[in-house]
Amino acid sequence: MATLNQNQSFNQKFQYTLDHTRLTPEQRQFYEENGFLVIKKLVSPQKLKLYSDRFEAICRKQVQVPGMVMMRDIAITTSEFIPGEKAIAKVQDFTHDDVLFEYCCLPEIVDYVECFTGPDITAVHTMFINKPPDTGSKSSRHPMHQDLHYFPFRPADKIVCSWTAIVPVNRQNGCLVVVPGSHKGELLPHVYPDWKNGVNKMYHGIQNYDPNQPRVQLEMEPGDTVFFHPILIHGSGTNKTKHFRKSISCHYAASDCDYIDISSLSTKYLAQEVAEIAKKRVGQDVDISYQDLWRLRSRRVKGKEDLPMSRL
Ligand SMILES: O=C(O)CCC(=O)C(=O)O
């Protein structure tokens, strides 16, 4: 009986991390309390260059990748690579590009991911983010949100994001901003923010967000990587510099996570929006469920096959 009580209190102490030698006790405690953890210089400059070069080739249309989505900024007309095009603010769903997908499989990243998901891991959402210089419209901002809003699978504690800075990321170019400890809260309703000059597609923000919550600006150097929980409230500021702010990220889920029925959640409107975007890619007459869309954009990273997240 004494052993059971000890185990119970052990489990209560660590809700968001698993036993793993990679995390020091201090790092583990920090993530438990704050919902994020920054690891300095985790990804090498050579790898960062490889991913940046690949992003450039994708923007220049030298590479075509099935399923990948290019997201353009609504207000910013100056592209980095193709004159006359709007700025590409994001490349999303690069899981089927073997060069960029290599980021998701880097052992230095996956070792940390395992501390949150366990050993069977699926990459579920991938982004190369290229925050453009803002022209005054403030459209380069990313509203404060929780990533779980977008995800139709659970449990939340078995999902984690890795986000790696490719260039120096600071207050001037719109670093990530997080609300420490907010991962202990609930998933809140999200809407498009009512911004004067409009807002980028799929940039949903927390409805009635309280801007007085204490926040931390995550200033990072190239290769620094932050791991964060999907309920952590975060966003990013305006890019006030003349340069594109670059980062690469992957959301991972334990491969035994289960899909949930979202028909009664506020995210059902999101699902309709996602389905419309997908139909533009796969054809209007293709009937594809929200869950299948997520399966298509996912790819197994490590561990057992034939678990719900990795099964197509
Ligand atoms: O990199 C950023 O500026 C924010 C990215 C983000 O939070 C997201 O895309 O969900």
Side-chain angles (χ1 to χ4, degrees), residues 90 127 129 131 142 145 147 163 174 176 234-236 245 247:
K90 234 186 226 189
M127 292 184 286
I129 307 164
K131 190 192 269 288
H142 202 124
H145 65 281
D147 290 335
W163 187 106
L176 282 183
H234 68 286
S236 65
R245 192 224 71 189
S247 57

